[in-house]
Amino acid sequence: QQQVKQSPQSLIVQKGGISIINCAYENTAFDYFPWYQQFPGKGPALLIAIRPDVSEKKEGRFTISFNKSAKQFSLHIMDSQPGDSATYFCAATTYNFNKFYFGSGTKLNVKP
Amino acid sequence: IAGITQAPTSQILAAGRRMTLRCTQDMRHNAMYWYRQDLGLGLRLIHYSNTAGTTGKGEVPDGYSVSRANTDDFPLTLASAVPSQTSVYFCASGTPGPGAASNQPQHFGDGTRLSIL
């Protein structure tokens, strides 16, 4: 049973558009939610992360929206660029950071 | 450049053979992790180690073993490889514990692509 469910599996967005990737979880003990970006042939790299005590976190063009009651969180990429084309993973972990649970990934393609 | 080094970068292995994937970090992170990445399943934790001398099981530990003799090295061993272990394996490191945003496996290696025939 997957602890974190991610959608969509793939996404095509025009340059300048908004990319939105969604994740949902069940375990209410999760209290840290990072997003990772992965380019082909490379390992994932931390993009942005949020804790459930805030509803939104923004870093440049990347924003996480968090809905604690719905147990959902999403990544918004504003003004999407071709260089943003990559696979994105959401994840969740509990306070001790022992085990991270990843979503299944979203392959984003930003068309020029 | 500080980071994580994984070796080999790729390997083709006959079923039933023993294989050790190597992982070395030079950031002095306490925690290290092994994940496998499979299409449509994301990254799944195999084993982890919070500090040298300790290890723990992740989501999919069967068929794998690890050791953590020192802070820098965290090898993953497949005692008798099976085709279902064909995957891309990622090693990661971080600093576990509650609180600071830096406490996470934010440093990943570039992976080992393993094919078992």
Side-chain angles (χ1 to χ4, degrees):
Chain A
Q1 180 184 356
Q2 203 156 17
Q3 297 266 355
V4 179
K5 296 182 180 179
Q6 183 173 345
S7 64
Q9 187 174 10
S10 63
L11 183 61
I12 299 174
V13 174
Q14 289 296 126
K15 178 183 176 181
I18 302 174
S19 304
I20 301 174
I21 304 170
N22 301 300
C23 285
Y25 64 98
E26 288 297 327
N27 188 347
T28 55
F30 289 149
D31 73 346
Y32 191 79
F33 303 88
W35 284 89
Y36 290 83
Q37 180 187 56
Q38 184 181 29
F39 292 105
K42 295 295 185 181
L46 177 70
L47 188 62
I48 186 173
I50 196 168
R51 291 188 181 274
D53 53 345
V54 296
S55 61
E56 185 175 282
K57 183 173 182 180
K58 183 176 181 179
E59 290 184 2
R61 296 184 294 109
F62 300 91
T63 300
I64 300 178
S65 297
F66 189 85
N67 185 330
K68 188 174 182 178
S69 61
K71 291 183 284 186
Q72 295 175 348
F73 58 110
S74 59
L75 176 69
H76 297 237
I77 306 175
M78 313 300 287
D79 187 26
S80 298
Q81 300 296 312
D84 297 330
S85 297
T87 299
Y88 293 81
F89 293 95
C90 60
T93 186
T94 55
Y95 78 99
N96 58 5
F97 289 77
N98 276 345
K99 298 181 180 181
F100 281 69
Y101 296 93
F102 284 79
S104 55
T106 296
K107 188 172 183 179
L108 172 65
N109 186 4
V110 180
K111 297 281 192 183
Chain B
I1 297 177
I4 292 182
T5 301
Q6 289 188 238
T9 55
S10 65
Q11 182 76 44
I12 299 173
L13 188 69
R17 298 296 296 271
R18 180 184 179 92
M19 175 75 190
T20 295
L21 308 185
R22 300 185 298 278
C23 176
T24 299
Q25 56 114 349
D26 60 4
M27 296 171 285
R28 307 302 293 173
H29 285 161
N30 285 331
M32 296 186 76
Y33 311 80
W34 273 107
Y35 294 89
R36 60 177 290 173
Q37 184 175 24
D38 302 288
L39 191 63
L41 296 176
L43 292 119
R44 293 180 292 168
L45 182 65
I46 303 171
H47 285 286
Y48 66 94
S49 169
N50 283 339
T51 188
T54 68
T55 62
K57 294 182 179 180
E59 291 178 82
V60 289
D62 294 342
Y64 306 95
S65 64
V66 291
S67 62
R68 188 85 184 278
N70 57 61
T71 297
D72 298 341
D73 300 299
F74 191 42
L76 176 74
T77 297
L78 290 67
S80 179
V82 295
S84 63
Q85 292 177 310
T86 293
S87 187
V88 182
Y89 291 86
F90 287 99
C91 179
S93 73
T95 51
S102 61
N103 294 349
Q104 57 187 294
Q106 66 182 93
H107 297 271
F108 279 81
D110 285 337
T112 293
R113 284 142 191 85
L114 185 61
S115 296
I116 299 164
L117 308 177

